[in-house]
Each structure stands twice: as structure tokens, then as C-alpha cells.
Amino acid sequence: MFKKILLPLDGSALAERAIDPVEMMASASGAEVLLLRIVPAPLGKSPEAGQAEESKAFTESVTRAKAYLEKVAARFAGKSVKSRILVPSGEPYVEILRAAHNEDVDFIAMTTHGGTALERALLGSTAEKVVYTTKRPVFLVKPEKIHTARHIDEGEIYARAVK
């Protein structure tokens, strides 16, 4: 069924909403979960920041990202789900697509932020960029606030349609 699932996480509770469904799918299929956390690329040779300080800050960011993903990996290991940690640096959607391609994943699982159309038009959405750019399946998990804001159940829509 599935061999590899890519799970990008940014450390937020919102992104972590994708952990449970991925855990269930990986457990059922025996898939390996690739845990991805993108670290912002260093600013480069910026005299204002200082090269040593910039390098130290980047190294600390990588260390924190790895520690975070190791906690998630331990959770998966407790459920007998194989996982591996990836911590690239760069533009989030580019690194997600790069990891999906390089690792030849079966699908990408991530959350949406549920912003307004104006926010998406002005800021862009990492999930949206991934969905429209990749040829791989993408499993999107909505934020809880969208789930609770929906007053009409899917069953009600179906019942209305068949009447």
C-alpha cells in the first residue's frame, strides 16, 4: 500500500494535527514516515548580524528542529511506526517538494491554515503551493476551528441531495 509518507511539521499545534491520521495510516500500511522540519536558511554574509552569530543561530535552530522531531519519532516508535528525520534549510514549500521527490514518497500529509482568500492571495500558503506544484497525492488536514465552525454535517447535505 504505502511505503513512505512525508509529514512536514513546523512545531505548531496546528501542524501537529496531521500526526494522528498519519500515524494510523502508517501503522496500517507499514509505511515509513519521513518527519520534515525546515529551518530558515542563514541570512548569508550580513555585516550587521555578524557571521559568527549567524552561524551559531543557524546551528541552534537545526539542533532545536532535530530535538523536536526526535520527540515525534519517539511517539511513532512507541506505536511501532518507522520514521526518519529530515532537517533541510530553505523555502518551506521548495524543501517539501524536494524531499518528496528525492525520497520518492507515496504522498505528503500536512495541515492547512484555513486563512481567508485575501490572506492566501497576499501571503500565499505553503500547503497551497505544495498542492498546486506536486504531482503526488497530498493529504490535507483542516484546523480544528474550521471543523467546529461547520454547522451542517456532510450527512445532512447528502440527505438533502437525495430528496
Side-chain angles (χ1 to χ4, degrees):
M1 195 160 156
F2 302 125
K3 292 180 183 170
K4 290 184 187 178
I5 301 169
L6 180 62
L7 178 58
L9 297 168
D10 64 8
S12 69
L14 179 65
E16 290 174 359
R17 286 190 40 80
I19 292 174
D20 287 341
V22 166
E23 184 179 277
M24 290 186 322
M25 287 183 275
S27 182
S29 66
E32 176 183 31
V33 179
L34 303 177
L35 301 168
L36 178 75
R37 174 95 186 250
I38 295 112
V39 176
L43 296 174
K45 297 181 179 181
S46 172
E48 295 84 19
Q51 192 64 34
E53 290 82 5
E54 178 69 20
S55 179
K56 182 181 176 187
F58 178 74
T59 301
E60 288 173 1
S61 293
V62 170
T63 301
R64 282 192 305 274
K66 285 180 180 177
Y68 167 73
L69 292 179
E70 285 169 1
K71 287 180 185 177
V72 178
R75 173 184 167 166
F76 281 120
K79 302 283 184 167
S80 299
V81 173
K82 291 185 301 181
S83 64
R84 195 161 25 112
I85 293 171
L86 305 171
V87 184
S89 67
E91 180 69 28
Y93 85 95
V94 171
E95 295 307 321
I96 291 168
L97 295 170
R98 184 185 326 271
H101 174 76
N102 290 344
E103 296 289 342
D104 193 26
V105 301
D106 294 300
F107 71 92
I108 302 165
M110 57 194 308
T111 57
T112 63
H113 287 278
T116 66
L118 178 60
E119 287 172 331
R120 284 192 305 271
L122 294 175
L123 303 174
S125 160
T126 299
E128 189 173 25
K129 289 175 184 175
V130 168
V131 166
Y132 289 124
T133 307
T134 189
K135 292 180 181 177
R136 297 173 195 281
V138 180
F139 176 75
L140 294 175
V141 179
K142 293 180 184 178
E144 185 63 32
K145 66 181 180 181
I146 289 179
H147 285 288
T148 57
R150 302 290 183 232
H151 300 291
I152 300 174
D153 188 354
E154 290 171 351
E156 292 176 34
I157 300 290
Y158 175 74
R160 290 181 194 169
V162 281
K163 284 185 181 179

